[in-house]
Amino acid sequence: MCDAAKLPGEAVRLNRRSFLQSPTVLAAAGLLAGGPCASLAHADALTREQRDKMTPDEILAMMKRGNARFRKGEGSKRNFLAEQKASAKGQYPAVVILSCIDSRAPAEIVMDLGIGDAFNCRVAGNISNEDILGSMEFACKVAGAKVILVMGHTACGAIKGAIDSVKLGNLTELLAKIRPAVDKTEFTGEKTTKNAAYVDAVARKNVALTMAQILEKSPVLRELESKRAIKIAGAMYDLETAAVDFLS
Ligand SMILES: [Zn+2]
C-alpha cells in the first residue's frame, strides 16, 4: 500500500519529495526498481544520497520549516518504528545540534526531525568542551553532517546559575564556561536573574561565543567551514512561543 501517512517526518519528506521528483535521483537511489511504493522503504530515514545532495542552507531551511510546523501543531505523523528500522544499519544525519539539557527544549521535537536526521549533543548551557568538539568532529568529518547548530533557549537555568556564580560540585566548572558570556554581554538595565531580558541576552551571547569557540578550538571543523563543506549556525529557542529564532 502506498500510504502517505506511513511516510516519515514532513521535514524530511518535503525534501525527499523534491528528490523523488527527479528521475535521475530516483534511478541513482535505486528507487525505481520496485515501483512507486518501493520508495517508501527508503524514505523512512535519510539516505546518504539524499543528505549529500542537500546544501547547509537547505538543511537550515528544512529545520526552520520543521519548527514552523511544530508551532502550528502540524508536526509530522511519524512512524518511529519505520525510521528506526530504516536507519538501523547506517546513519546519514544532516546536522549536529548542540543544545541545553532543559527538558522543555528538545531540539529534534521542536524542529520536527526524526530518527537518523540529527546528531544531538546536550549539555547544560550548551557549552562546548573537548568532548563536545570531538563529537562534532566525528559528526561532520567522519559521518558527513553539514550543519552545526548551537541552540540556546530563553529562561535558561544554567545561564542564571552562571550569572549568580552558583557553586555546586561539578556544576561549578561547567558554569565557569558560561561566565565569559556574562562578562561580555552588553546590556542596559538590571543585570540580575530577575530580569528575563538580561538572562536571554546572556544566553544569546553564550551561543555566539560557543559558535566562535568551535571554530577557534577545532582545526578540523575550521577547515571544513573554510571549504564551505559545513556551516555553523546559532539559534535561540523561546520556551513561551516555541519559536526557534535563527541568529545566522
Ligand atoms: Zn538551559
Side-chain angles (χ1 to χ4, degrees):
M1 289 286 290
C2 288
D3 182 354
K6 289 181 180 174
L7 283 167
E10 182 66 13
V12 177
R13 185 160 77 239
L14 280 170
N15 190 277
R16 285 164 187 161
R17 189 173 294 148
S18 66
F19 282 112
L20 297 177
Q21 286 167 352
S22 160
T24 307
V25 172
L26 272 172
L31 300 180
L32 283 172
C37 289
S39 65
L40 294 181
H42 295 265
D44 286 326
L46 271 178
T47 66
R48 183 194 294 271
E49 289 81 4
Q50 289 165 344
R51 190 272 312 275
D52 289 352
K53 196 171 171 65
M54 281 191 277
T55 66
D57 284 336
E58 286 171 346
I59 292 163
L60 284 165
M62 178 183 81
M63 291 191 286
K64 289 175 187 174
R65 289 196 303 267
N67 178 242
R69 287 193 302 276
F70 174 74
R71 291 183 71 195
K72 287 188 280 187
E74 296 173 357
S76 307
K77 290 175 182 150
R78 296 188 168 278
N79 184 338
F80 281 119
L81 201 56
E83 292 182 11
Q84 172 264 318
K85 288 185 191 311
S87 59
K89 290 197 165 43
Q91 60 169 341
Y92 309 101
V95 55
V96 52
I97 301 167
L98 170 59
S99 59
C100 183
I101 61 168
D102 195 294
S103 66
R104 302 161 297 175
E108 282 146 315
I109 293 174
V110 303
M111 286 184 279
D112 199 19
L113 299 171
I115 294 174
D117 290 343
F119 288 105
N120 198 340
C121 307
R122 292 184 74 166
V123 61
N126 40 273
I127 52 95
S128 80
N129 60 22
E130 288 179 349
D131 301 320
I132 296 287
L133 290 173
S135 300
M136 289 178 171
E137 288 168 358
F138 170 78
C140 296
K141 183 77 177 181
V142 181
K146 294 182 175 180
V147 169
I148 296 173
L149 178 66
V150 180
M151 189 182 91
H153 67 96
T154 59
C156 180
I159 298 293
K160 291 177 186 173
I163 292 170
D164 286 341
S165 297
V166 167
K167 303 281 188 271
L168 173 68
N170 289 286
L171 184 60
T172 304
E173 274 303 300
L174 190 157
L175 295 182
K177 294 183 170 68
I178 301 175
R179 193 68 212 176
V182 179
D183 296 336
K184 290 179 180 172
T185 297
E186 293 176 7
F187 189 83
T188 307
E190 185 185 332
K191 293 185 176 181
T192 72
T193 51
K194 291 188 181 125
N195 187 347
Y198 174 62
V199 172
D200 295 348
V202 175
R204 237 167 232 271
K205 175 61 79 175
N206 185 52
V207 168
L209 292 182
T210 301
M211 290 168 63
Q213 195 176 52
I214 290 166
L215 285 178
E216 181 194 329
K217 298 277 178 70
S218 171
V220 172
L221 297 173
R222 195 162 62 237
E223 186 194 359
L224 289 172
E225 200 258 358
S226 70
K227 290 194 293 190
R228 300 192 178 179
I230 65 167
K231 191 163 190 173
I232 301 181
M236 280 287 289
Y237 178 64
D238 190 317
L239 293 181
E240 297 284 346
T241 66
V244 178
D245 178 17
F246 285 78
L247 310 179
S248 56

